[in-house]
Amino acid sequence: MTEYGRGRGSEPWHPEDPLYGDQGWTAHQTQQGQPPHGGDPQQQAYPQEPQYQQQYPAPYPQQAQQQYTEQQYPQQPQPQYTEQQQYQQYAEQQGYAQQAQQAQQVPQAPQPAYDQQSWDTGQGQYVAAAVQVDPYAAADPYAQPPAGAFPGEAPDLYTTAEAYPPPTPPGLRHLEPDPAEEWQDGGAGTDTREADAEESLLPGGGDDSGGRRTGRSGKGRKERSRAACLIVALALVGVVGGGGYYGYSYLKARFATAEDYAGEGTGEPVDVEIPPNSSLTRMGNILKEKGIVASVEAFTAAAGANPKGKSIQPGVYPLRKKMSAAAAVTFMTDPTKLNVITIPEGKRNVDVYKLIDTRLGKSEGTTEEIAKREAKNLGLPAWAGNNPKIMDPLEGFLFPARYDVSQDSTPESLLKQMVKNATDKYGELGVEGKAKELGLENPLQVITVASLVNAEGKHHEDFRKMSEVVYNRLKKTNDVTNQKLEFDSTYNYIKKSSEINFSLKEARALDNPYNTHFVKGLPPGPIGNPGDEAITAALAPDGGGWMFFVSVDGKTTTFTKTYEEHQKLADEFLERQKQKNGG
């Protein structure tokens, strides 16, 4: 750059300088051969050539400045003018002779001199160009309003009382300090600004940065440095220590051999209950707390190595203390070792009593005797067992499920738990409130229907159709079976058997309130313990109008609406039975 006598090197410039960026000529063109703002006295410039003076009128100052630059026309030495002479020359060229004369009467502020050399502010150029007439001055639609003492003249912001300070000579210029570097208190009441100010007055700025302050000095800075070093050291110690601990834990868990016992265990069996939905890790924790295995890691590793390790069922296991993890997993994956009683849906009470006796090691008949003696004390609902013809008041109330057995279990405690589960389920499904809607006398008849559905249906898909058959045969309008159900399952309940081949003649002749081949309507009570699906079907029959059903192949049940369709299927069934029996 060469503005205002500076060299061509890059120099910082005050951003509020109005002449920064060649804006001080008020949009007039640069004269040919004359450098902007006065130029450097050491530079050479060509004398002015008049033929270029009028080529670019005032309305187009920017095009003139862009086309005729000092790079396109080498500069020649030019005579030095005072500021007044330069302004007069400019006025004569632009046709402002009268304004130029008035400008001569305006006192000029003295210009400062630096290093025995006059400092040109660039104002003299206006004088030199004022004599030229600008034919477009009056019609310039883009002309700016006068800002100075004369029309078309830009104010000299270097000569007024509010003027910007004149440019600093190149030899005395210093870079401005970084705005981000703020003076800070040195701490403990020590102000470091005086020391930094004194240091900045030394040659070179008191450091090796070439005149620019790049750091702080003093006691406060040293204290902060020590504190920072201490914090970093503590952080490193924490990171290294924590990393070492976790690293050791990881390596130990990853590569160290888990603690484990050997053998099948010692001492008496210990009942260990595994809750439902337990993970292998939770199982391992339970076993470790009971003293069965030595570590959780050994148990989970053994379960992962066993193909059946992930199939361990919840329940009570009679394990021994100090078992090897592999032995514990092998024991728990054997369903016969699980200390539970599982009641299948539709199971009769006589069969449930036998299961309890076997699991608890009681003599046969013990549980059945307790059931008959303590029936009223086992938690039955008020609407159960009111019919004196009922063979077993607990029938239908030993809810099908799996029950854990421990050393403290007794026949009575297990029966109470089963009755409670049944009562809770019936209340949940709203059995008591649905009885009248279904045309039944009491809630117990709902359970009775459900037990018949569970006994006669082959699959859950059959249950709602089977429920429809029961309700249709109970209707008073039923003149086909005369309100008799004629279910073989009721005859088998009396006989405590499950035969499908029996004498129909004998069945129809047996006088028993549970024999639906002999009596009309429902039996006095349930003939088994129905599950969820059968109870739901009893509460919501299919509604398809079914009256008959038969299983020809013993696997699939076929339902019909008329007796003729049923008889045809029944004859087919009898024929298959003869062939099967060799007859």
Side-chain angles (χ1 to χ4, degrees):
M1 300 174 65
T2 60
E3 301 93 305
Y4 302 100
R6 288 180 289 163
R8 292 185 177 273
S10 175
E11 294 286 344
W13 193 252
H14 197 288
E16 297 182 357
D17 186 351
L19 300 181
Y20 174 68
D22 294 340
Q23 299 301 320
W25 281 36
T26 63
H28 288 289
Q29 70 275 16
T30 303
Q31 297 301 322
Q32 177 63 29
Q34 179 178 347
H37 311 305
D40 192 332
Q42 298 179 358
Q43 297 178 355
Q44 301 296 326
Y46 292 101
Q48 297 181 356
E49 295 181 7
Q51 60 271 24
Y52 296 102
Q53 295 178 359
Q54 296 294 334
Q55 185 170 356
Y56 295 96
Y60 309 94
Q62 297 299 329
Q63 294 90 335
Q65 290 180 352
Q66 295 176 0
Q67 181 174 0
Y68 297 98
T69 62
E70 57 186 6
Q71 288 82 2
Q72 293 175 338
Y73 296 94
Q75 298 181 356
Q76 298 295 332
Q78 88 179 43
Q80 301 295 322
Y81 298 95
T82 66
E83 295 177 357
Q84 185 173 0
Q85 291 174 348
Q86 292 177 356
Y87 182 82
Q88 183 175 3
Q89 182 179 358
Y90 172 81
E92 291 175 358
Q93 292 176 356
Q94 298 297 331
Y96 300 119
Q98 183 177 356
Q99 290 84 340
Q101 293 177 3
Q102 295 177 1
Q104 295 176 2
Q105 299 176 3
V106 178
Q108 301 292 330
Q111 299 294 330
Y114 305 96
D115 296 339
Q116 302 300 325
Q117 178 181 350
S118 62
W119 189 256
D120 187 7
T121 63
Q123 188 178 13
Q125 302 173 40
Y126 297 101
V127 179
V131 297
Q132 183 176 357
V133 178
D134 184 3
Y136 300 94
D140 184 3
Y142 303 101
Q144 301 294 330
F150 304 99
E153 176 190 1
D156 183 4
L157 300 180
Y158 290 100
T159 59
T160 63
E162 296 82 6
Y164 292 98
T168 305
L172 296 180
R173 294 174 184 164
H174 296 281
L175 295 176
E176 292 293 334
D178 189 351
E181 297 182 359
E182 300 291 343
W183 293 101
Q184 298 182 357
D185 189 0
T190 302
D191 192 353
T192 61
R193 290 178 292 180
E194 295 180 0
D196 289 345
E198 292 176 359
E199 182 181 359
S200 65
L201 294 178
L202 297 176
D207 55 21
D208 296 334
S209 61
R212 180 173 181 176
R213 297 189 302 274
T214 59
R216 299 288 187 267
S217 63
K219 180 179 178 181
R221 181 175 60 184
K222 293 180 181 179
E223 292 178 353
R224 289 193 297 273
S225 298
R226 293 193 190 98
C229 292
L230 179 59
I231 293 174
V232 172
L234 292 175
L236 290 175
V237 170
V239 171
V240 172
Y245 172 77
Y246 286 109
Y248 170 77
S249 300
Y250 171 78
L251 293 176
K252 181 180 178 181
R254 183 69 175 83
F255 300 104
T257 302
E259 297 180 7
D260 197 2
Y261 296 127
E264 300 294 328
T266 60
E268 294 294 328
V270 177
D271 290 336
V272 179
E273 182 177 0
I274 302 299
N277 303 319
S278 295
S279 64
L280 292 176
T281 301
R282 186 180 181 187
M283 294 180 188
N285 281 309
I286 295 174
L287 296 177
K288 185 175 182 298
E289 292 175 0
K290 295 287 187 178
I292 307 300
V293 298
S295 65
V296 178
E297 294 77 12
F299 176 80
T300 55
N306 192 313
K308 299 180 180 179
K310 294 183 179 180
S311 63
I312 298 176
Q313 299 296 316
V316 178
Y317 294 88
L319 300 170
R320 296 180 183 274
K321 289 190 175 183
K322 295 185 177 181
M323 297 179 68
S324 68
V329 171
T330 302
F331 189 94
M332 298 173 72
T333 52
D334 186 355
T336 62
K337 303 295 184 181
L338 187 62
N339 202 3
V340 297
I341 295 178
T342 301
I343 309 301
E345 60 180 29
K347 205 75 170 175
R348 298 173 187 164
N349 280 7
V350 292
D351 297 326
V352 176
Y353 299 148
K354 293 179 181 179
L355 288 174
I356 295 176
D357 288 341
T358 302
R359 178 57 65 183
L360 297 183
K362 304 295 183 179
S363 59
E364 185 176 352
T366 300
T367 303
E368 183 175 5
E369 180 184 355
I370 294 175
K372 291 180 179 180
R373 185 179 70 243
E374 301 293 336
K376 296 181 179 180
N377 301 322
L378 296 177
L380 289 172
W383 46 266
N386 293 329
N387 192 333
K389 296 180 179 181
I390 292 178
M391 296 177 60
D392 187 349
L394 296 182
E395 195 75 69
F397 290 91
L398 304 183
F399 191 74
R402 194 179 71 181
Y403 297 89
D404 296 326
V405 179
S406 66
Q407 294 178 344
D408 299 331
S409 297
T410 63
E412 187 176 1
S413 67
L414 291 174
L415 292 175
K416 284 184 177 180
Q417 183 63 41
M418 294 175 184
V419 172
K420 181 181 184 305
N421 287 353
T423 304
D424 292 343
K425 176 59 66 173
Y426 299 155
E428 176 186 340
L429 297 176
V431 170
E432 189 172 358
K434 292 287 186 69
K436 293 183 179 181
E437 295 180 10
L438 296 170
L440 301 176
E441 297 178 3
N442 52 62
L444 183 61
Q445 288 190 338
V446 178
I447 308 305
T448 303
V449 172
S451 68
L452 294 172
V453 168
N454 214 143
E456 295 289 346
K458 296 292 183 180
H459 307 285
H460 290 170
E461 292 78 8
D462 300 338
F463 286 172
R464 294 189 64 198
K465 291 183 179 181
M466 191 66 67
S467 178
E468 177 73 8
V469 171
V470 172
Y471 287 116
N472 285 334
R473 289 191 180 186
L474 291 177
K475 291 180 180 180
K476 296 180 179 181
T477 58
N478 174 20
D479 56 0
V480 178
T481 63
N482 297 319
Q483 300 179 25
K484 290 182 180 181
L485 296 179
E486 297 183 344
F487 281 6
D488 294 346
S489 57
T490 60
Y491 181 78
N492 282 325
Y493 180 77
I494 299 170
K495 296 293 183 177
K496 297 181 181 180
S497 64
S498 299
E499 296 293 334
I500 60 174
N501 295 318
F502 58 85
S503 173
L504 185 58
K505 182 179 180 181
E506 292 180 2
R508 290 176 178 174
L510 179 60
D511 185 2
N512 188 292
Y514 277 85
N515 184 11
T516 57
H517 286 283
F518 183 84
V519 298
K520 296 180 180 180
L522 293 171
I527 62 173
N529 296 283
D532 287 347
E533 295 289 340
I535 299 170
T536 303
L539 295 173
D542 176 73
W546 312 113
M547 284 289 294
F548 303 94
F549 63 93
V550 65
S551 178
V552 177
D553 56 2
K555 298 179 181 179
T556 305
T557 303
T558 303
F559 294 86
T560 60
K561 298 179 181 180
T562 63
Y563 179 76
E564 290 76 15
E565 294 174 329
H566 170 70
Q567 190 60 45
K568 181 179 179 180
L569 294 174
D571 293 341
E572 184 179 345
F573 170 74
L574 293 176
E575 185 65 26
R576 287 195 177 190
Q577 289 298 111
K578 290 180 181 180
Q579 295 177 359
K580 182 178 179 180
N581 296 329

